[in-house]
Amino acid sequence: IRAEFSTVFDDEDEVTGFITVITDVTEQERIDQERREFVSNVSHELRTPLTTMKSYMEALTDGAWQDKEIAPKFLSVTQNETERMIRMVNDLLQLSKMDTKDHALQMERTDFVRYFHEVIDRFDMNKPEHVILQRQLPKSALEVWLDKDKMTQVLDNVISNAIKYSPEGGVIRLKVEKQRHHLLVSVQDQGLGIAYDKLEKIFERFYRADKARTRNLGGTGLGLAISKEIIEAQHGRIWAKSKEGKGTTILFTLPLMNEKRRGYY
Ligand code: ADP
């Protein structure tokens, strides 16, 4: 809080009053601070793959290109890093579009149950063998307004995280429950879990619970931040529950359509 004091004089230089202006500068400062941190994070996140690529390319130029065994490995590292950088820049562009509200949601009336089955079917076709996807979906339809493409992005991100962090033979439970005015979607895994004090942070931009590990898994640290923006833009809420060593559950809500009033509840 910033306070400014001034004294009021009349024509004869007599003091007739005092003015105090109190401004709340904390909000502006917080925004400035966040912006500075964000720029510093972006620079750091982009510098890491670039320096890796630089050193591998230097090694190749210095002669490793002639080694039939080493050369393909080094090239594959630089290729992976390039791909990760492209993913990151695409994620950043998307976040920036959502920040400036320069995006229109393409909402359509959707039966969430049927739609969710389709998303899981797609994962079932391509998933690694070491995980099992288990569905707990209601039998009857649940109508919501959705931007399907954006919702698919959320589910892709949350389900692939669950797969990524699942142990051998791990079960991932995908559940949809009807509540009074919302539907509740949850994706539960039996992976390594997240410490209690880090649970909220995973929705922040670039936050990774274990930097080295998730970077190796090809993550950008932006997936859940994007998911949060998308869910909130569709009037839902997203959060996480976890027990370290036991697993993680990501949950989100979406408003149900009100049949009688043909709108939201
Ligand atoms: P990333 O690209 O690193 O996966 P996300 O934004 O999707 O970025 O996730 C942020 C961080 O949250 C991850 O780096 C990881 O530490 C943690 N996390 C997300 N999902 C899970 C999960 N299912 N189990 C354990 N940790 C998770």
Side-chain angles (χ1 to χ4, degrees):
I1 289 173
R2 187 177 57 216
E4 286 164 278
F5 303 99
S6 36
T7 317
V8 184
F9 299 95
D10 67 6
D11 291 346
E12 267 103 49
D13 270 358
E14 290 286 326
V15 176
T16 55
F18 301 98
I19 298 175
T20 311
V21 180
I22 295 174
T23 328
D24 183 358
V25 288
T26 41
E27 178 62 9
Q28 189 54 42
E29 240 160 51
R30 191 183 58 78
I31 293 169
D32 286 350
Q33 174 72 16
E34 270 179 12
R35 188 172 301 136
R36 277 195 295 271
E37 258 170 43
F38 184 66
V39 171
S40 142
N41 278 338
V42 173
S43 323
H44 182 79
E45 292 288 340
L46 288 175
R47 196 179 55 185
T48 312
L50 282 170
T51 45
T52 308
M53 280 159 59
K54 181 167 183 276
S55 56
Y56 278 83
M57 290 204 276
E58 268 168 12
L60 282 164
T61 316
D62 287 349
W65 66 275
Q66 284 171 317
D67 189 314
K68 279 209 172 65
E69 288 220 344
I70 292 177
K73 281 186 194 149
F74 281 16
L75 283 169
S76 142
V77 173
T78 57
Q79 199 171 350
N80 285 341
E81 289 297 291
T82 315
E83 279 162 10
R84 199 161 68 84
M85 261 184 6
I86 293 174
R87 274 201 300 279
M88 198 180 294
V89 171
N90 283 336
D91 283 355
L92 283 168
L93 278 173
Q94 198 186 340
L95 273 173
S96 124
K97 267 198 202 146
M98 291 194 289
D99 280 348
T100 54
K101 305 272 180 274
D102 174 25
H103 71 300
L105 290 171
Q106 301 289 327
M107 302 295 260
E108 46 184 315
R109 191 187 170 137
T110 314
D111 166 13
F112 195 85
V113 177
R114 186 169 161 187
Y115 157 79
F116 200 23
H117 271 302
E118 284 167 9
V119 172
I120 307 170
D121 286 344
R122 184 162 49 77
F123 269 97
D124 259 333
M125 305 263 272
N126 305 305
K127 73 171 175 61
E129 271 178 29
H130 75 276
V131 292
I132 298 153
L133 302 183
Q134 192 187 77
R135 309 176 194 213
Q136 279 188 17
L137 275 65
K139 295 248 169 356
S140 51
L142 284 175
E143 298 278 345
V144 287
W145 279 105
L146 267 193
D147 181 321
K148 272 198 197 167
D149 283 348
K150 295 239 158 51
M151 182 53 62
T152 304
Q153 227 182 316
V154 173
L155 289 170
D156 277 355
N157 178 52
V158 172
I159 300 172
S160 29
N161 275 346
I163 293 176
K164 211 156 64 174
Y165 298 107
S166 273
E168 197 74 31
V171 175
I172 297 171
R173 198 167 70 185
L174 305 133
K175 197 165 160 185
V176 177
E177 288 165 81
K178 183 179 184 298
Q179 297 185 327
R180 241 160 84 87
H181 299 316
H182 290 92
L183 59 80
L184 175 66
V185 183
S186 57
V187 177
Q188 181 178 28
D189 67 55
Q190 301 174 322
L192 75 174
I194 303 164
Y196 184 74
D197 58 327
K198 294 176 179 162
L199 266 185
E200 279 190 12
K201 296 211 174 92
I202 62 171
F203 297 98
E204 287 172 14
R205 297 173 185 194
F206 291 122
Y207 184 82
R208 301 184 186 95
D210 178 347
K211 285 213 190 290
R213 195 190 139 95
T214 48
R215 220 178 255 139
N216 286 339
L217 291 171
T220 62
L222 293 170
L224 285 177
I226 293 179
S227 303
K228 186 173 150 87
E229 298 270 347
I230 294 176
I231 294 291
E232 287 177 357
Q234 300 187 38
H235 311 286
R237 217 164 65 76
I238 184 166
W239 69 101
K241 283 186 191 164
S242 182
K243 272 218 169 80
E244 260 187 295
K246 290 259 159 63
T248 305
T249 311
I250 304 289
L251 305 103
F252 66 84
T253 59
L254 280 180
L256 277 168
M257 265 180 80
N258 180 341
E259 275 308 319
K260 287 195 201 96
R261 282 199 284 130
R262 302 222 153 252
Y264 289 121
Y265 276 100

